[in-house]
Amino acid sequence: MFKAAANSPAALTSLWGAFGALGNGRLGAKLGEQIAVAIADRNNCNYSLAAHTGLGRKAGATGQVMADAQAGRSTDPRTAADLTFAIAVVDKRAGIETSDVDALRSAGFDDEDIVEIVAHIALNLFTNYLNVALDVPVDFPGVKLTRAAA
């Protein structure tokens, strides 16, 4: 993926910067990877699904936690609210309702967290689109998609 992004030095710099900034954000690596697999499955992105499943395991998530996240589920209510929101943003192309944001707030997310969630969504949309559009070969152990792109 980074080789593909390197075709544009500006895109590669943007990608590295976003990964670095969000990797040090408030949400934490595990939740960031859960968001990533939920979005990858929605966008039919084999590369990101495989990569972020592995990274999620490295961040302390079990295989079941990552499989649940891929389907937009979690046994943790806070994580479940985050994944529901992320999927809604992707599926509705950001045309969400006030109630979608209110559900995040009710789960304990503040405005800083919510903006960071949207940044994770945007980064993952970029990487998914790059991988799918350029048919980037998967160089991680494969993970089966569970939902075709909408």
Side-chain angles (χ1 to χ4, degrees), residues 93-114:
R93 297 182 182 198
I96 57 172
E97 305 294 326
T98 303
S99 60
D100 295 312
V101 176
D102 290 343
L104 278 181
R105 288 193 177 105
S106 294
F109 292 100
D110 63 20
D111 288 345
E112 183 177 347
D113 297 324
I114 294 168

Side-chain angles (χ1 to χ4, degrees), residues 53-104:
T53 296
L55 291 168
R57 298 291 305 272
K58 186 176 177 184
T62 65
Q64 186 60 55
V65 164
M66 294 308 292
D68 287 346
Q70 180 182 346
R73 297 185 307 263
S74 176
T75 58
D76 174 64
R78 191 169 191 266
T79 301
D82 180 304
L83 296 174
T84 298
F85 177 80
I87 290 168
V89 170
V90 171
D91 287 351
K92 297 176 183 179
R93 297 182 182 198
I96 57 172
E97 305 294 326
T98 303
S99 60
D100 295 312
V101 176
D102 290 343
L104 278 181

Side-chain angles (χ1 to χ4, degrees), residues 14-77:
S14 173
L15 185 61
W16 272 118
F19 274 123
L22 293 174
N24 292 315
R26 287 176 53 177
L27 297 181
K30 180 180 169 184
L31 185 53
E33 300 305 338
Q34 289 172 288
I35 293 168
V37 297
I39 293 171
D41 202 66
R42 282 294 187 278
N43 288 320
N44 206 26
C45 183
N46 288 298
Y47 186 94
S48 290
L49 180 59
H52 291 290
T53 296
L55 291 168
R57 298 291 305 272
K58 186 176 177 184
T62 65
Q64 186 60 55
V65 164
M66 294 308 292
D68 287 346
Q70 180 182 346
R73 297 185 307 263
S74 176
T75 58
D76 174 64

Side-chain angles (χ1 to χ4, degrees), residues 1-2 4-6 9-21 123 126-127 130:
M1 179 187 71
F2 289 104
L12 181 61
T13 299
S14 173
L15 185 61
W16 272 118
F19 274 123
L123 173 58
F126 171 66
T127 61
L130 179 66

